[in-house]
Amino acid sequence: MAADDGISSLQLPCVFSPKSRQYLAVCAQDGRLRIWNTDSKTLHQEYVPSAHLSATCTCLSWGPCRTAKEGPQRKKRKSEAAQVEKVDLLAMGTAAGTVLIYSTVKGALHCTLDGGHSGGVNCVHWHPEDSLLYSGSDDTNIVEWDLQTGKTRSKWKADRSAVTSLCVSPDGKLLLSAGKIIKMWDLDTKEVYRKFTGHSTAVTTLCFATTRPPDGNGLYFVSGAAHDRLLSVWQVREDGKDKNSVVSFTLTDEPQNFDLVKSSSKEEAVRLAVVCKDGQLHLFEHFLNGPFKKPLSPSCTVQMSDTRESPMQIPLLAAALEVDPRSVVLAYGSHLQPVMERVEINTAERHICLTRDIKANLSISMETTVSKVKTPIVNAKSKVLVPGLPGHQAPLKVGSQGTEKRKKDADTKEMSIAERLREIDLSVVSSQKGAAKVEASLQTDNFAVLLVQGLESNDAATLNKVLQTNKASLIKTTVSRLPLSAVLPFVEELTKRLQGHPTMAIQMLRWLKAVLVHHTSYLASLPDLNTQLGVLYHMIESRVKMFHKLTKLHGKLNLLMTQVATNDSSNRLTDVDHTAKLVYEEESSDEDEASGDEALPDEESDHWEEDEAMDEDEEDKDDEDSDSRTEPKANGDEDMEHENESEEE
């Protein structure tokens, strides 16, 4: 029974130790490595990497139990020599590109392998004999590590895409690597021996199914991919005609944890235990002897539920096969507090449902676990500071010797944030500008906190209070201060409101736009984003299709309305009265003078006569002046004539 393969980074790593199945290594959401003892069902060791938050653990792989001295060479005491011979090493790949080697015997970090990858490590696998370790990364490279020196021994480019899975053959001569294409490498020459194509998504599971050499067409291996409900079995043939898989096993969901008992001959069947993403366990048993056309169904399917009146499913995390065909080691519950159990399964039954009281099992394991957390002893005179809003005092717990007033204050319950929001009074601030700034900051902080509380408690009233705001700046700031753990639940809540209340679509889209602007990088890093946002995508797509039809209908209605308006306006124009309100006629000048004289009043007739007499006198004077001007001219002419006559004489 070989060591477990590295688990893909799409799921949380959870692996049983090889052979004895004594330990279960789990790396939960908080980035800490926890090793549980399957016999005592207690926490055996806990290790917190220095960068457990920024460089989380992406894959785990147990090393084979052997007595060789490994790790960077240093002088050891005699007491440590025996421990090194019994050491069980555990390899941890991280998102930062480093590989950590942890020793369960020492209970500490054995060594750190870094400098080989520029991207996150997706898979690690041990060599069955030599002290070598292989790792695959997002940088498309495979690195061969030498544990005796702690440095890279070899490095080569494996594929155009990221390397997501690795597996070494039982004889240690071949290496399987996979992104979307499975490649078989010769470890002596580091050259491609065979290629296998058939998966459309990233391969997450690789494991050799037989220990036979590839010379007699007896070498088989199993592969599984993300979002794929089939496990494919491939045969390595001498003639190279191995382009398609020979056998396939059907699953209910994509594989999450995988264990296999290899076959050493044609007469020995291969046993598989596959835990799917939906929390079910499928057991298979098959004799590998050439191709088989029909997909094989599991010989037994195991589910687990609690003991309530309306039973709820308990998800299975991992499973490991033992020497006894009926015995299986199960891990179920939560990654933070898993429950381990050895179960006898009757494979003659196709479907088995196990009922367990998970709370009782957890309480037993918690009592026996040695906790390192110490509860502080609080003195009666000490003051406890409770987190609250800025500028507001939290209730203080005081001793029994205080006054009655302090006792009343101590007995009062702490107000919720919603009650504090109602009682905020900013009238103390003198400046209106300062008050506006304080109010904006308080409102933003409280809205972010209220939004998180409403999402955790599913409180519709709190969510309505936050989502009813229309201020773009407030929406932008609130979403920017939203923690990453609440982004996806918030998007799901917005999707529900868009489905149930179409009238609120404009308001919900403002929040959704802010989320996409501020948290796109986080959403893009989620592995199951397509499934989680599929409902929102299909809803938007359906509404966009309807929008095109609605715009056509809107245009036709506009045409009809304009035609109706033009008809009404034409009817109104026909009813207009064309009779003139005013008529003006132009007459001749004589008639105008006559009419003007007639129009003069009698009182002004005398003045007109005097004006005419004055005009006649002025005309007479002008005539006399003209006569007097002509006389000198005549006299001048006569003088000129006399002068001319005298000159002639």
Side-chain angles (χ1 to χ4, degrees):
M1 195 177 298
D4 295 280
D5 298 334
I7 306 300
S8 171
S9 60
L10 296 177
Q11 293 94 18
L12 294 174
C14 181
V15 187
F16 281 101
S17 61
K19 293 185 178 180
S20 63
R21 311 299 185 183
Q22 184 180 2
Y23 299 116
L24 173 68
V26 182
C27 196
Q29 297 91 337
D30 55 0
R32 302 187 179 193
L33 173 66
R34 294 180 176 89
I35 298 176
W36 300 83
N37 192 323
T38 57
D39 296 330
S40 61
K41 301 180 181 180
T42 57
L43 181 62
H44 179 62
Q45 291 176 3
E46 183 176 3
Y47 172 68
V48 183
S50 58
H52 66 285
L53 295 179
S54 59
T56 57
C57 176
T58 55
C59 52
L60 291 174
S61 181
W62 286 94
C65 300
R66 53 180 179 264
T67 59
K69 295 183 180 180
E70 299 171 345
Q73 295 296 322
R74 64 180 181 87
K75 293 183 179 180
K76 299 180 177 64
R77 300 176 182 177
K78 294 182 179 180
S79 60
E80 292 184 354
Q83 293 181 357
V84 174
E85 292 179 358
K86 298 179 181 179
V87 68
D88 284 336
L89 298 180
L90 179 65
M92 302 169 53
T94 64
T98 59
V99 180
L100 306 178
I101 307 299
Y102 181 79
S103 173
T104 56
V105 174
K106 297 178 182 178
L109 188 66
H110 186 69
C111 62
T112 303
L113 309 177
D114 55 358
H117 292 293
S118 59
V121 178
N122 295 325
C123 49
V124 288
H125 200 281
W126 296 79
H127 194 279
E129 297 177 359
D130 300 331
S131 58
L132 299 176
L133 180 71
Y134 297 90
S135 61
S137 171
D138 287 335
D139 59 4
T140 71
N141 293 325
I142 298 175
V143 176
E144 184 181 44
W145 302 92
D146 188 353
L147 294 181
Q148 292 184 353
T149 61
K151 297 181 180 179
T152 59
R153 184 177 177 181
S154 179
K155 179 179 178 180
W156 69 95
K157 186 177 179 62
D159 203 345
R160 295 181 180 178
S161 58
V163 180
T164 56
S165 187
L166 290 173
C167 185
V168 183
S169 62
D171 57 1
K173 296 180 180 180
L174 299 174
L175 173 68
L176 286 173
S177 71
K180 291 183 180 178
I181 300 175
I182 303 174
K183 294 182 180 180
M184 182 175 286
W185 302 84
D186 188 348
L187 289 178
D188 294 332
T189 60
K190 304 297 188 296
E191 294 180 355
V192 178
Y193 179 68
R194 293 287 171 81
K195 288 184 180 180
F196 305 89
T197 57
H199 292 289
S200 59
T201 55
V203 177
T204 58
T205 302
L206 278 178
C207 185
F208 280 93
T210 58
T211 58
R212 289 167 274 176
D215 299 336
N217 295 336
L219 186 62
Y220 293 83
F221 67 90
V222 184
S223 67
H227 310 293
D228 195 353
R229 298 182 179 182
L230 286 177
L231 283 178
S232 301
V233 181
W234 308 80
Q235 183 182 16
V236 183
R237 298 173 58 89
E238 289 181 340
D239 54 6
K241 297 180 180 180
D242 44 18
K243 296 182 180 180
N244 299 323
S245 60
V246 293
V247 182
S248 59
F249 300 105
T250 59
L251 305 173
T252 55
D253 206 338
E254 64 175 285
Q256 181 175 349
N257 188 275
F258 181 85
D259 189 33
L260 181 143
V261 177
K262 295 180 176 63
S263 169
S264 57
S265 63
K266 294 182 180 180
E267 290 76 18
E268 186 178 358
V270 175
R271 295 165 53 208
L272 287 84
V274 185
V275 176
C276 295
K277 195 174 180 181
D278 58 0
Q280 298 186 45
L281 170 64
H282 302 286
L283 300 176
F284 297 91
E285 188 172 354
H286 181 68
F287 292 91
L288 294 176
N289 189 12
F292 197 84
K293 295 183 179 180
K294 295 182 179 181
L296 297 176
S297 302
S299 58
C300 182
T301 299
V302 180
Q303 289 179 300
M304 189 167 288
S305 63
D306 54 15
T307 56
R308 299 178 184 176
E309 294 181 357
S310 56
M312 299 290 292
Q313 182 184 4
I314 301 174
L316 291 169
L317 304 178
L321 298 171
E322 294 191 320
V323 179
D324 186 1
R326 294 185 178 183
S327 179
V328 180
V329 184
L330 300 178
Y332 54 90
S334 166
H335 285 85
L336 295 172
Q337 186 70 32
V339 180
M340 291 74 65
E341 183 181 356
R342 278 180 167 82
V343 181
E344 297 289 334
I345 295 179
N346 184 10
T347 55
E349 298 182 12
R350 297 296 300 271
H351 297 278
I352 298 175
C353 184
L354 304 175
T355 57
R356 295 290 185 273
D357 189 358
I358 192 169
K359 292 184 179 180
N361 294 332
L362 285 177
S363 61
I364 294 173
S365 60
M366 288 297 291
E367 288 176 0
T368 55
T369 302
V370 178
S371 178
K372 297 182 180 180
V373 180
K374 295 183 179 180
T375 305
I377 301 173
V378 181
N379 191 6
K381 297 182 179 180
S382 62
K383 296 182 179 180
V384 180
L385 299 178
V386 182
L389 292 174
H392 293 268
Q393 294 181 353
L396 302 177
K397 296 182 180 180
V398 296
S400 59
Q401 298 178 358
T403 59
E404 295 180 358
K405 185 176 181 181
R406 291 183 180 178
K407 288 182 179 179
K408 291 180 181 179
D409 294 338
D411 293 335
T412 57
K413 295 182 180 179
E414 185 180 355
M415 291 186 297
S416 64
I417 294 180
E419 294 174 352
R420 291 180 182 178
L421 281 173
R422 296 170 187 167
E423 297 185 2
I424 287 179
D425 187 6
L426 300 176
S427 60
V428 183
V429 184
S430 57
S431 174
Q432 295 182 356
K433 185 176 181 181
K437 291 182 179 179
V438 173
E439 184 179 3
S441 63
L442 286 175
Q443 194 175 15
T444 304
D445 292 338
N446 295 329
F447 267 53
V449 174
L450 276 176
L451 187 56
V452 174
Q453 286 186 349
L455 292 173
E456 291 178 352
S457 61
N458 291 327
D459 189 0
T462 305
L463 292 174
N464 290 335
K465 184 174 182 180
V466 176
L467 297 177
Q468 283 176 357
T469 180
N470 295 324
K471 294 181 180 179
S473 59
L474 184 58
I475 293 174
K476 179 180 178 182
T477 313
T478 303
V479 172
S480 63
R481 297 186 180 184
L482 199 65
L484 294 179
S485 59
V487 172
L488 195 58
F490 184 47
V491 174
E492 293 176 355
E493 179 65 25
L494 292 177
T495 305
K496 292 179 183 178
R497 290 175 177 262
L498 283 172
Q499 287 179 320
H501 306 281
T503 56
M504 300 175 62
I506 297 176
Q507 184 66 17
M508 296 302 106
L509 286 176
R510 294 173 183 170
W511 288 92
L512 185 61
K513 179 182 177 182
V515 172
L516 295 178
V517 168
H518 289 280
H519 300 289
T520 302
S521 58
Y522 169 71
L523 292 173
S525 65
L526 296 176
D528 299 333
L529 184 64
N530 293 333
T531 57
Q532 292 171 346
L533 299 184
V535 178
L536 178 62
Y537 175 76
H538 290 301
M539 181 180 61
I540 293 176
E541 188 177 6
S542 62
R543 292 195 179 185
V544 168
K545 290 181 180 178
M546 291 299 297
F547 179 75
H548 183 62
K549 297 179 180 179
L550 289 174
T551 50
K552 287 185 177 180
L553 180 61
H554 182 66
K556 293 179 181 179
L557 290 176
N558 281 338
L559 288 175
L560 291 175
M561 294 300 294
T562 51
Q563 289 179 359
V564 172
T566 51
N567 292 332
D568 293 342
S569 61
S570 61
N571 293 333
R572 292 175 183 174
L573 291 174
T574 54
D575 298 336
V576 175
D577 187 8
H578 294 285
T579 57
K581 301 295 182 181
L582 178 64
V583 178
Y584 174 75
E585 295 181 358
E586 188 176 0
E587 298 177 354
S588 61
S589 59
D590 297 335
E591 293 177 355
D592 292 340
E593 291 177 359
S595 61
D597 294 339
E598 291 175 356
L600 291 174
D602 296 336
E603 295 178 356
E604 296 180 357
S605 60
D606 298 336
H607 297 288
W608 281 102
E609 292 175 355
E610 292 178 359
D611 294 337
E612 290 177 355
M614 293 292 291
D615 294 336
E616 291 176 355
D617 294 338
E618 291 177 358
E619 291 176 359
D620 294 338
K621 290 180 180 180
D622 293 336
D623 295 338
E624 291 177 356
D625 292 335
S626 61
D627 294 338
S628 61
R629 290 174 184 171
T630 53
E631 287 178 356
K633 291 182 180 179
N635 294 332
D637 294 336
E638 291 177 357
D639 294 336
M640 291 293 292
E641 291 176 355
H642 289 298
E643 290 177 0
N644 294 330
E645 289 177 358
S646 61
E647 290 177 0
E648 289 175 359
E649 289 178 357

